[in-house]
Amino acid sequence: MESIHWNSLINPKFSLNQSPRRRNRAVFDRRDAPSRRGRTFSAVRTSNFSVTARATDVSPRKNSKDAAVMTSVRVGKSSTALEQLDIERGVCVPFRKYSPETVRSKVLESRGSVVSLASRGVEIVWSLGLYWSTLMYDFLVGRDEEVVPFRARQLRNLLCNLGPSFIKAGQVLANRPDIIREDYMNELCILQDDVPPFPNEVAFQIIEEELGQPLEALFSKISSQTIAAASLGQVYRATLRATGEDVAIKVQRPQIEPIIYRDLFLFRTLASFLNGFSIQKLGCNAELIVDEFGEKLLEELDYTLEARNIEDFLENFKDDPTVKIPGVYKNLCGPRVLVMEWIDGIRCTDPQAIKDAGIDLNGFLTVGVSAALRQLLEFGLFHGDPHPGNIFAMHDGRIAYVDFGNVAVLSQQNKQILIDAVVHAVNEDYGEMANDFTRLGFLAKGTDVSPIVPALEAIWQNSAGKGLADFNFRSVTGQFNKLVYDFPIRIPERFSLVIRSLLTQEGICFTLKPDFKFLEVAYPYVAKRLLTDPDPALRERLIQVLFKDGVFQWKRLENLISLAKENVGQMSSNPAIRVKRVESKLDLTDTIKDGARLFLLDEGIRRKLILALTEDSKLHVEELVDVYKLVEEEVDIPTLAMQVVQDLPNVFRDFVLSWSNSVLSDR
């Protein structure tokens, strides 16, 4: 019987004798310049001297000299754990709110700090020690399994009593199957919604202090009750006196910053004693886990960063007629107060109200899934807490997001590896899928992945083998949680947010439509992206999907085109698309042009395509006709021909250069 004392509350994993995780290759993103696909700023900005490496060069097989570049551009002293995090993420963060040194100096600079730390340390040790002793007693008397629900509730109440740092820690643990058991995770999920508010008088005083004016001078009215309350702050509805616009005011809890800093100092001090145990069980040191948590927590404490997150989301979705991001009033924002546009929408847990508003549920769900996947795979900046209170359906069919304090950033490197993982899953290349886990930071570098490959294959075959009709992320996550227990896997903070985000949004979809199939929307989006995105890295992934073991997959190409057309059809049923008169057909013009160019310039691709057309000693005309029938309505032949003719000089030049290079290389 599995015990519930600390060794079972924390996942028991075997040791593979690893050293702490290090990546040999670091890929940096330019975060302060808008890109073609939109800005993808981190909540903590990087400087203008950040370096951008080639997006396609994500191979871990590079020498460690590149990692030194990151260290050389870092400003100030950083801990080993933070350096490791930066290398894993592929993002350089020269200026950050969090570092162990900053936390230590903040805590120790105040008078009476030693007494305060000692008092708080005794309180924490006493409370957690008492709870641990009850777990040990349950184990010794053999009733550990039967009292799990009670002990889980007891842990939730204990974290609430210990204050905001522990509430936030509980919210994080609710998404970390690599650290805590699933039954405890389910109970801690309550912390994400059920947090008591603090008094209005205190909140209104903070607003006046932060904005430097009386409430009456800024707002003609303000709600007498909080609209929502969370671990770090609470929200009111108000009306601006100057313009009459309705706004949401987010106010931070009083005196929370010194409490957070003090608790982070104590967390990291405790973590330093647990490094050996953590490396053995999780494949990383405990300080790294605390640093991930502390960095995210201090970002959420500064509402000016949340205001900048909103601006980044506005920039990313500015050309998307299906997504609504609230405006932010920068002149009414400070570190402890945030004022943004009020969103008057329909809660995403009320399917009847959405139908009554004349919104097509299928179209709206497609919009929601596509918006989530764009954040994850296109922008690399995604909403980390999309629970039902933070997502609304607008009356015109758009999806609206609020609360941008908890966002996460994926580097270009991480996005490419995620797409690689999708390609490897499609091609059933489970060995490379396991290597993707290492490249993303789930496994320590140097870990032998061979024992993990059969487990990954079993999970994917069991889930995908049922078909799209029965596939859902919750079942896959449940199986993955078991995998986490059996292997030294650590889920990096940013990916725990990804998992939570996908699970939460899938749950919302099931609420609106119980028979909703997430992958029936997600697959068409990915297919459309692979077929239409001009990013060279995605073009390369498309080729990998279309060729398996050197053989061209005609059926796979037909399926991709059909799925991509399905995505366009689903999106076009949304009223927001119709109102904006957005083009509602699949545009493959650029893809065909790029394919023709590649055929002329790449000898390897040319040989493979010719072999595909003449495979088994026959011309595959029938397959070509089938593909043409699928795309004939999606391609304007005269326009395409004109563009090809206009591009011929460039193609001829590239062909001559390619030919001359091959001649010179032969010599």
Side-chain angles (χ1 to χ4, degrees), residues 33-50:
S35 67
R36 177 183 59 81
R37 307 300 301 177
R39 294 185 299 174
T40 52
F41 294 118
S42 162
V44 174
R45 294 303 197 277
T46 58
S47 74
N48 288 325
F49 59 77
S50 297

Side-chain angles (χ1 to χ4, degrees), residues 450-470:
S450 56
I452 301 174
V453 172
L456 281 176
E457 182 175 0
I459 290 175
W460 184 254
Q461 293 287 0
N462 184 48
S463 301
K466 299 176 182 177
L468 295 181
D470 298 311

Side-chain angles (χ1 to χ4, degrees), residues 122-179:
V122 168
E123 179 188 7
I124 293 171
V125 170
W126 172 259
S127 301
L128 295 180
L130 192 61
Y131 180 73
W132 177 79
S133 66
T134 61
L135 295 179
M136 286 298 297
Y137 175 77
D138 293 338
F139 173 65
L140 291 173
V141 300
R143 64 173 192 178
D144 44 349
E145 289 294 336
E146 63 189 68
V147 297
V148 163
F150 173 73
R151 293 303 182 205
R153 286 194 301 273
Q154 198 175 36
L155 176 61
R156 173 172 59 83
N157 293 330
L158 171 62
L159 295 178
C160 280
N161 293 335
L162 285 173
S165 304
F166 284 83
I167 293 174
K168 203 67 188 175
Q171 292 173 349
V172 171
L173 289 174
N175 305 292
R176 295 298 296 263
D178 55 329
I179 297 177

Side-chain angles (χ1 to χ4, degrees), residues 421-429 433 460 523 545 548 556:
V422 172
V423 172
H424 294 147
V426 170
N427 289 338
E428 298 182 348
D429 190 344
M433 280 182 70
W460 184 254
Y523 264 22
V545 168
K548 184 178 182 182
R556 191 171 285 177

